[in-house]
Amino acid sequence: MIKAILIFNNHGKPRLSKFYEHYTEDTEQQIIRETFHLVSKRDENVCNFLEGGMLIGGSDYKLIYRHYATLYFVFCVDSSESELGILDLIQVKVFVETLDKCFENVCELDLIFHVDKVHNILAEMVMGGMVLETNMNEIITQVDAQNKMEKSEAGIAGAPARAVSAVKNMNLPEMPRNINIGDISIKVPNLPSFK
Amino acid sequence: MALKIVKGSIDRMFDKNLQDLVRGIRNHKEDEAKYISTCIDEIKQELKQDNIAVKANAVCKLTYLQMLGYDVSWAAFNIVEVMSSSKFTYKRIGYLAASQCFHESTDVIMLTTNQIRKDLSSPNQYDTGVALTGLSCFVTPDLARDLANDIMTLMSHTKPYIRKKAVLIMYKVFLKYPESLRPAFPRLKEKLEDPDPGVQSAAVNVICELARRNPKNYLSLAPLFFKLMTSSTNNWVLIKIIKLFGALTPLEPRLGKKLIEPLTNLIHSTSAMSLLYECVNTVIAVLISLSSGMPNHSASIQLCVQKLRILIEDSDQNLKYLGLLAMSKILKTHPKSVQSHKDLILQCLDDKDESIRLRALDLLYGMVSKKNLMEIVKKLMLHVDKAEGTTYRDELLTKIIDICSQSNYQYITNFEWYISILVELTRLEGTRHGHLIASQMLDVAIRVKAIRAFAVAQMATLLDNAHLLTGNMQRNGICEVLYAAAWICGEFSEHLENPMQTLEAMLRPKVATLPGHIQAVYVQNAAKLFATVLKSQEGNTDSTAAQETSQLMIDRLPLFVQSANLEVQERASCILQLVKYIQKLQQKDVEIAEEVNALFAGELNPVAPKAQKKVPVPEGLDLDAWINEPPSESESEDEQPKAIFAKEEPKHSRPRHTEVDEKELARRREARKQEQANNPFYIKASPSSQKVYQDTPGVEHIPVVQIDLSVPLKVPGLPMSDQYVKLEEERRQKERAEKKKKEKKKRKEKRSGRGKKHDSGPESEEDITPAHQVDIVTEEMPENALPSDDDDKDPNDPHKALDIDLDNLVEAAGRRPLADSEKLPVRSHRETPKSPAEDGDTENAALQEPKKKSTKEKREKKKDKDRDRKKSKEEKKKKKHKHEEKEEDLLGGQADAPVVQSEETSEVVAPPTSTNPEEATTVAEAEAAPPPEAASGTAPDSEPDQPQDADTEEAKSSKHKKKKQKKEKEEKEKKKKKKHHHHHHHSDGGGEESVQNGTVEEEEPLPPMSNYCLLAENSYIKMVYDIQGNLQDGSQVVVSVIFENKGDSFLKSMEFNVLDSLNSKLQRPDGSGPHDGLTVPFQLPPGVSNEARFVFTVQSIIMPQKLKGTLTFIVKNEDSSTHEKLDFKLHFTCTSYLITTPCYSDAFAKLLESGDLKGSSVRLEGVNMPFHHLLARICFHHHFSVVERIDSCASMYSRSIQGHHVCLLVKTSGQTVSIDAKCDEPTLLGNVLDEIKQTFSQC
């Protein structure tokens, strides 16, 4: 079972938190802080497994994480999950690549502004703490189909709001578009797109 | 209209959406909290609006704020609103919010049941999907119970997308509602072979999770998994299956043998590291399980170790880590194969990655031998010096101690070396493990007699240099070692070279800065030292020296007397007075040393830490029983130890063994017996409890290992442990040389007892003899100590409830109809006065005393007692009534929720925790209502046996497969019987409800009863029904109908229709015509039954009536489907309009006095049943409650849904029962009495 999936940035700011077991908001924040503390002090080229988060789980639980550019992806799992399998799940096969496809070169800002979408993608991959689907194409198909439904529902009524939102987004001087997580390379940070 | 929408959305575009909120928060970095609080205010405004789009937007923002740590539970209701939107966009937002912040104690969850059910059956697969996803995060026991059926249906949905989600969520449902496991399991098993790989993977996932907790129940699935393993290409599924096999093999070694080959093939062929690793892991598990039986798997072990070595040598740190992890598993059973890779593991100790170093440390534990211990520890000590972080250093420290102390210091050949290691470790600053070192020092000093002299010398040095250790007191845990040092110096002071110096060291003013418990030990041991010093000084001619010592004590002790710590204060003042007295005697030239020494005479033996726990409770002694009288004074005096001071104990309390000879003991025992015999208050136990445990076995009983002392070693001062390595090397060489000279005979004699235990070392381990005469004193344990290991399993583990034997299900491949107790929950109204908590209560009661109830004799006894207690019981009953009213209030409040078709178990007692539901149910039933056989017509005695028989049979059958076939016939017969039996229960069994009402004495056994009566039946389907009034609405009754599929075909599209009369009408959904049928909201697979509820409106309730109706349904076979119908007559009795309502006796009296009621009476002849059974029947079948009962007379009360009061006075004499009744509606009363009469004429 997966007990929690956390994404936070290099400063420990949560970008996505999904707990498959109930904790109070305070505990959740504490877990995020503690996990960040544990994960962030590790060197780049050490192993991606960590034992013993104090708050989450116990001896049976492991933190499995990956660090991409500015983001940490952390899965808290118990012994029924294969460590290498989860690592693969984070990147090689599924999660990050799906994000990359859905957001077209995903960057931290995508996650910041579209947490709900990330949640929706995650929901197609992991459900209630168990891995639902490991096939990236299948996930993308389902996510796309649902987004299409959403668009058709919005129809004409949603158009003005979308337009306003687009205008608002243009006023984003700090929005770097090209941080490619897949290659861990930051191409153009802080390009002022509007002058 | 369109304009309005556009206008609305134009308004909306100036609302903040999620992106705006995020942007805003980013722009307000300084006053983020303030900004968010204004945002929350805005959100609150938005939530008040009617526009669902605005609400959804607000909820979406809340979800984000929840992630940032804001409590958003106040918006739970709004979330439910958004969830119930018909638009997918909003629904998804709602469910996401719910999944993030709902949990079991969110009260609005119960409002969602119907919404979720609607979404689950939505034609849009994504509505269903989103509901399933959401539900997986916040499913509660209630939701699980209510929705289990719907989800089970979805498991056979046409779309794989829904199927896989439904399958996966079943695990959560099982966790919350364990009863659903049995009925759902056959279908779950089916899904293992689903054509869609996603569904298959989900099913594997769920079964793996289940099997991980209770593997034995899933052994029978092994062949299926085996097939999957050899056919599947999905690595994810393979990994899961292989992991599952890892859990199964310890239970079934034969499985392991079969696995080895395909697994080794996979290991050779696969390119996926994750799969390879799991294969290796499982092979290891197999080898471990086989290790006892078959030794010849060295090839596999070699392969595993070899592959692991490749992993460990890999540059990928992850593989390295996992390799070490798996290695540690092999280590347990095949230490030799791992030991050959010692170099590699030691290398890993230098790795920069802490996780890897820790793993390597774990491995070291199993790699040490007598030969290499010193070397390894030396290496570790180097690491200790280098380690920068305290956590890793502390870990190293514990590991060193672990390694050295493992299995009773098995690998230590030179304890002087070990003591010096410990002393060296005390130089670590800021370690948390001071107490660990201290306890090791104590343990070694106490248990290894030969080392005491050396240890004492070391400790004396430590005490002398205490200032080095206490340098930074606050965060320094290391001062704990002074505790050990002081105690060792005191207790074994005879070994001290210069006791006077040590005494002075212990009385330094600086000591007062130590923690209290250490000071206390200092004071106490100063006294011991003082005694020793006195003894040595009195031997001299010069008496002034002794007096000076006393003076020193008197000078220094007041410092401790002033201590803030009570313990220190108390000990110090005691000892101070003692010393003053001694001084007085000294001045009179009295020889006092002997007597002072006597204070501390005697040997302290180590006691095993669990000794106290392991003292077996003598037979006949009930520790929980109330002891009325405290033991008499004289006795306790008798047992007081003779010593004035019990010597203070270092870590765990050690009973002081008073040296009393056998005779004295016998005398005392005799005296005590006498006294007990004469003492009227003494509770005499059975003779066996008088067994007295032998005091101490005495020193000669302690197994002492004698080892030849070849080279006496004496190292003065404070040596570095490193020296020992060299010394040891020299010593061993010397020994070897000596040995060569000696003859073989002698060598045999030299072998130590301990050596025999572990002759497994790589090179002749036993050749290495310890440098000391080592007496390892074993820890004392009480006689008859039970060797049990207390594996404290968490009683709250949710998986315990899922420990359900599924084998019989598996064998029958889901064809066998499920027993009653295993049926999936059926729909019923929440207002039935029954909560899950109560459920638990009845069940607990059932589990607590099933035995008592089972035998008739005891029942008889009970009755006698009952008569005695009658009066008190009356009172109790009243209390009970009060209690109940409260409960009903609570439930009434709950029932306000708009649930028309919520669910309830039809079986009132459905034990969730039992491993065998059938058995438990019967037990519970027996508890609730084990009847005198005549009353019910069933034969309950035969029931408890049956399932057991079947179970044992099944257990056997799994073992002896050949025999099984023969027995199958028998089994089938039994099953038939069982089935029949349960039917019986339906028609007139299952009377738990009467107990739950609490209207009759719950202790008395009652016959099983049920209100369900047959509605109609044909070869396909059977319907039984029950009618209950609706508390909330005076014009409604609810008809619960249980549909049971009797055939082997699938029943679907069931439609229930009734021909309305003027008085009673079936409630149909809005928009349907008055003659339309109601669709039954489920389908019935073969052998399954389910319950549906139909609401009827009635106008007049004073007359009984019958309604004609028809059930139409489609019977679907593999090749054909036919349309069938079944006619029935619904009988609305007047009783069904009555609702059990408790009533106080005073209110009851007032009601009778009021004179509004009209009377009527009826006599029943030939009623042959106990009075309380009679009452129970009236209560149960006719919805009355007992107001008061005196002897053979009882008053009862009930109320109709339209508020008519019905009062009964029931009297019995012999076989005649007379019922006087009063009611404000005579027609109703007449009919009710007729019905009561009919009930009793039937039996």
Side-chain angles (χ1 to χ4, degrees), chain B residues 38 134 199 237 488 504 583 639 911 951 1095:
Chain B
T38 57
V199 181
V237 170
I488 292 171
E504 261 179 274
Q583 199 185 29
E639 284 179 341
D951 275 357
V1095 180

Side-chain angles (χ1 to χ4, degrees), chain A residues 1-2 7 13-26 28-29 32 41-43 45-51 60-62 66 78-89 93 108-109 111-117 119-120 123-134 138-139 141-147 149-151 153-154 156-162 164-165 168-172 174, chain B residues 5-6 9-10 12-20 22-23 26-27 29 32 60 63-64 66-73 86-90 92-93 96 99-105 124-127 129-130 132-133 136-137 161 164-166 168-169 171-172 175 196 198 201-202 205-206 209 212-213 234-236 239-240 243 273-275 277-278 281 316-319 321-322 325 352-356 359:
Chain A
M1 290 275 281
I2 299 169
I7 303 178
K13 284 242 181 226
R15 293 303 176 213
L16 174 127
S17 69
K18 182 85 206 167
F19 290 88
Y20 293 102
E21 216 160 84
H22 174 68
Y23 296 98
T24 63
E25 275 76 16
D26 288 343
E28 286 185 1
Q29 292 305 308
I32 294 173
K41 68 177 183 199
R42 290 173 67 83
D43 289 337
N45 46 2
V46 296
C47 74
N48 296 116
F49 313 117
L50 253 178
E51 280 153 85
D60 196 30
Y61 286 86
K62 275 202 183 75
R66 282 243 189 223
D78 69 11
S79 62
S80 75
E81 302 293 344
S82 146
E83 292 89 345
L84 293 172
I86 293 287
L87 265 186
D88 283 354
L89 191 73
K93 275 187 281 179
E108 190 185 341
L109 279 168
L111 267 64
I112 295 173
F113 285 102
H114 302 284
V115 182
D116 47 344
K117 285 185 188 160
H119 268 297
N120 294 335
E124 295 303 321
M125 189 178 101
V126 178
M127 188 175 126
M130 283 181 289
V131 176
L132 177 69
E133 183 60 68
T134 51
E138 171 72 14
I139 295 173
T141 318
Q142 302 297 355
V143 170
D144 284 349
Q146 291 178 48
N147 290 342
M149 250 183 85
E150 205 175 277
K151 263 185 198 148
E153 274 182 359
I156 313 166
R162 279 208 302 277
V164 169
S165 158
K168 283 176 187 164
N169 278 344
M170 287 204 304
N171 290 327
L172 263 186
E174 87 273 40
Chain B
I5 294 174
V6 172
S9 52
I10 287 174
R12 259 195 297 140
M13 63 195 196
F14 297 108
D15 285 346
K16 270 195 199 100
N17 62 13
L18 175 62
Q19 281 76 36
D20 298 330
V22 175
R23 198 172 297 132
R26 286 162 68 82
N27 289 338
K29 286 215 168 93
E32 194 182 292
C60 185
T63 313
Y64 182 78
Q66 196 271 344
M67 182 182 80
L68 298 185
Y70 290 84
D71 177 27
V72 298
S73 53
S86 57
K87 275 196 179 175
F88 173 74
T89 317
Y90 305 143
R92 182 155 79 165
I93 292 173
L96 174 61
S99 73
Q100 291 294 89
C101 64
F102 280 12
H103 50 93
E104 271 188 28
S105 47
N124 182 344
Q125 62 165 335
Y126 292 115
D127 281 353
V130 101
L132 284 173
T133 308
S136 72
C137 291
Y161 178 72
K164 72 180 176 194
K165 288 199 168 193
L168 211 53
I169 203 180
Y171 178 65
K172 292 277 176 164
L175 279 185
D196 184 85
S201 151
N205 228 330
V206 170
E209 283 295 334
R212 204 163 67 93
R213 310 296 180 149
N234 181 344
N235 276 351
W236 185 264
I239 287 174
K240 283 277 170 193
K243 264 184 167 288
M273 272 301 179
S274 46
L275 186 57
Y277 173 68
E278 294 306 336
N281 247 334
D316 185 343
Q317 297 285 320
N318 291 325
L319 298 182
Y321 172 86
L322 292 174
L325 195 66
K352 59 186 178 308
D353 189 346
E354 191 176 303
S355 307
I356 287 176
R359 286 282 139 237

Side-chain angles (χ1 to χ4, degrees), chain B residues 20-38:
Chain B
D20 298 330
L21 175 76
V22 175
R23 198 172 297 132
I25 293 174
R26 286 162 68 82
N27 289 338
H28 291 79
K29 286 215 168 93
E30 286 76 37
D31 50 351
E32 194 182 292
K34 201 178 139 205
Y35 178 77
I36 289 179
S37 77
T38 57

Side-chain angles (χ1 to χ4, degrees), chain B residues 822-986:
Chain B
E822 301 162 10
K823 271 173 196 151
L824 262 191
V826 287
R827 305 170 180 209
S828 82
H829 277 250
R830 233 180 250 283
E831 46 260 52
T832 38
K834 181 131 193 3
S835 68
E838 271 177 289
D839 218 337
D841 283 350
T842 26
E843 178 209 309
N844 278 350
L847 293 174
Q848 269 167 21
E849 4 172 65
K851 256 195 172 176
K852 278 186 189 170
K853 304 277 175 173
S854 62
T855 57
K856 272 190 182 174
E857 288 171 23
K858 287 198 176 168
R859 226 184 285 154
E860 290 300 322
K861 267 189 198 168
K862 258 232 146 108
K863 277 185 191 168
D864 287 350
K865 273 187 192 168
D866 284 348
R867 253 165 248 153
D868 295 339
R869 287 190 202 148
K870 209 165 276 168
K871 277 199 175 173
S872 65
K873 207 178 258 176
E874 290 297 332
E875 282 169 18
K876 265 191 208 164
K877 221 197 302 170
K878 276 183 199 165
K879 275 184 199 165
K880 175 100 188 168
H881 270 302
K882 271 189 199 168
H883 185 66
E884 234 178 51
E885 259 194 358
K886 269 186 202 164
E887 249 174 86
E888 281 215 341
D889 275 349
L890 288 174
L891 290 163
Q894 230 180 43
D896 286 341
V899 267
V900 184
Q901 286 205 320
S902 61
E903 296 169 20
E904 251 285 306
T905 44
S906 68
E907 294 303 311
V908 181
V909 182
T913 49
S914 162
T915 48
N916 186 340
E918 282 170 59
E919 218 174 335
T921 314
T922 48
V923 170
E925 270 171 11
E927 195 276 338
E933 292 80 333
S936 66
T938 52
D941 282 355
S942 68
E943 200 181 40
D945 301 333
Q946 250 182 9
Q948 264 175 358
D949 274 2
D951 275 357
T952 44
E953 200 124 332
E954 274 147 16
K956 274 180 205 164
S957 67
S958 65
K959 281 183 185 172
H960 313 285
K961 286 198 174 168
K962 282 176 192 169
K963 278 187 185 174
K964 199 183 89 183
Q965 284 170 338
K966 281 184 194 170
K967 283 189 180 170
E968 248 172 16
K969 273 191 182 176
E970 284 174 41
E971 261 188 27
K972 268 185 192 165
E973 273 171 24
K974 275 196 180 155
K975 277 173 194 163
K976 265 186 203 167
K977 260 193 210 167
K978 220 192 279 175
K979 195 178 169 188
H980 171 74
H981 197 84
H982 283 296
H983 282 192
H984 218 98
H985 261 251
H986 256 312

Side-chain angles (χ1 to χ4, degrees), chain B residues 119 135 251 306 831 840 860 1234:
Chain B
D119 290 336
L135 188 62
L251 301 166
Q306 193 190 327
E831 46 260 52
E860 290 300 322
D1234 282 348

Side-chain angles (χ1 to χ4, degrees), chain B residues 173 176 226 255-256 430 538 569 595 664 1068 1109 1153 1188:
Chain B
V173 173
K176 299 289 176 187
F226 198 81
L255 176 65
E538 261 182 22
Q569 216 184 80
E595 281 168 63
E664 172 70 6
R1068 297 175 167 90
E1153 282 165 11
E1188 206 167 3

